Structure formats: C-alpha cells, structure tokens
Amino acid sequence: MWSGTHPAQWSAPNPEGFARAFGLHPLWVHPDTLADDLAQLFTRLSDTSSAVGEVGLDRRAEASLELQLQALAPQLQFATTQTRALILHVVRAHEPLLSMLKELGVTRFMVHGFNGSPELARRYVDCGGLLGIGGLLTRHTPRLHEVIRQLPLSAFVLESDAPDLPPRGAAVSDPTDLPNTGLIVAQLKGCTVLEVARQTRENALTLFGLPIVQSSSRPRAQ
Ligand SMILES: [Zn+2]
C-alpha cells in the first residue's frame, strides 16, 4: 500500500506494484487551504477505488485539534459511505479518535504504527479495526510486545511505514523489513513466521478489499 498524504502526492504517478491510498494527513491540515484540499482529495478518491489514508489526529501538528477533527470527519464519512478502508494516524489523541469512530460508525480501518497498551489495542479491535505493526517492534517497546502476546494474529497487519519508523539501527524503513518484523511477532506468539505471514497478509488483503491469491499453494501431482 502506497499512501499519498498531501496534495502534491495525490497527483504523483502510481508506483508500480502498490495499491494506493489518499488522504489529508493531520500534519498537512491548514485552515486557509482545508476546503480546497478536501475538494481535491474527494475528486481524486472518486476517480479510483483507493483506500483513504493516512488520516487522523496528531497532537504535534500545527493545526488545532478542533481543525483536525473538522478535516477528519468528512474523510471518515467518505470512507464509510463509499466502503473504503481507512489508514489511521494517531499521536496522543486516542480518545477523540475513538469517539469519532464510534459516532460515525467507522469499522473498516487500521491504526498504523500502533504503540499503545493492550487495553487500547482491544478498544480499536472491538471497533472492527486492525493494528499496524512495524519497525517499533525491533526497539525496546515492552508494552508493544505485550500487545502482540495478548491479542490474536487476526488483529494485526505488518507495515513498514517507509521511510518512517525505522527498525533499530537503521536510518530509514523499507518494505523489505517486513520478514524481520514477522519473525519477532512469531517469536512473541510462539508460532512460525509462515503462520504470521499468512494471517497478516490475509488480514491486509481483506481490509483493503484486494484479491486473496494462495501464492504458496503448489500444483497437485497428477
Ligand atoms: Zn503516520
């Protein structure tokens, strides 16, 4: 999944081999351009069957939380009425985000770069969501390790967030980091990396409405 998070990226050519998502990221919300940006976004989304994201709430953003909520609500409504998946970005704003998800009946989403408690993880999963797990797992993140231990594999998708959230020791992240992330998940769950790969892949394909092809199945002997 390749996510375009601001106007310049929405018109960029589609990188080969990636499904797309488009959204107005909270760090790009600006009061003077919000109406025009949303109009442009919805035109772009309507031309495609893309997912919506990254969208969400971020307390580090320049825009006030109130303005971010104003930007987020129509994007959540679009995704819900058009049955699109959402990639949610949330930093220190879980309560207002969860309230809005419930209020608008949003159930088809992943919370990317999840790094909260097992209790918070369950609240998102109870709303129908998935948790995006990536490079943070390679760092000293005991709480996140506990999330992996306590929740079932059906709750997770693996992500790189490339080039952000790099694994320990790396300057940037990359989609080729995923097998290593899967290995850590397998160690924490006491299962094989193949089981992790199969289940998280299926979770992601189901979330984004992409065809599930059994690439690992071998042709039967005649
Ligand atoms: Zn993000």
Side-chain angles (χ1 to χ4, degrees), residues 25 54 89 112 161:
H25 192 286
E54 294 176 22
H89 166 107
H112 104 89
D161 199 30

Side-chain angles (χ1 to χ4, degrees), residues 152-172:
L153 277 180
S154 59
F156 304 114
V157 290
L158 303 186
E159 62 165 338
S160 65
D161 199 30
D164 298 328
L165 299 180
R168 190 173 61 187
V172 291

Side-chain angles (χ1 to χ4, degrees), residues 5 25-27 54-55 58 60 87-91 112-113 159 161 164-165:
T5 56
H25 192 286
L27 296 177
E54 294 176 22
V55 300
D58 190 329
R60 304 165 307 174
I87 303 171
L88 297 178
H89 166 107
V90 54
V91 176
H112 104 89
E159 62 165 338
D161 199 30
D164 298 328
L165 299 180

Side-chain angles (χ1 to χ4, degrees), residues 65-146:
L65 193 67
E66 192 189 350
L67 190 68
Q68 292 181 49
L69 286 162
Q70 275 176 42
L72 179 60
Q75 298 184 87
L76 297 185
Q77 276 159 341
F78 179 94
T80 305
T81 55
Q82 302 288 316
T83 61
R84 310 282 179 96
L86 278 152
I87 303 171
L88 297 178
H89 166 107
V90 54
V91 176
R92 299 201 294 273
H94 292 286
E95 294 306 327
L97 180 62
L98 278 157
S99 297
M100 190 173 256
L101 294 176
K102 282 182 188 148
E103 191 184 319
L104 298 178
V106 178
T107 58
R108 187 177 172 189
F109 65 92
M110 64 173 279
V111 180
H112 104 89
F114 185 79
N115 191 25
S117 66
E119 190 255 337
L120 183 63
R122 276 193 203 96
R123 290 174 69 194
Y124 281 113
V125 171
D126 286 348
C127 292
L130 297 173
L131 308 166
I133 303 295
L136 289 173
L137 202 60
T138 64
R139 306 187 205 170
H140 181 66
T141 47
R143 192 175 58 173
L144 185 58
H145 286 203
E146 201 49 40

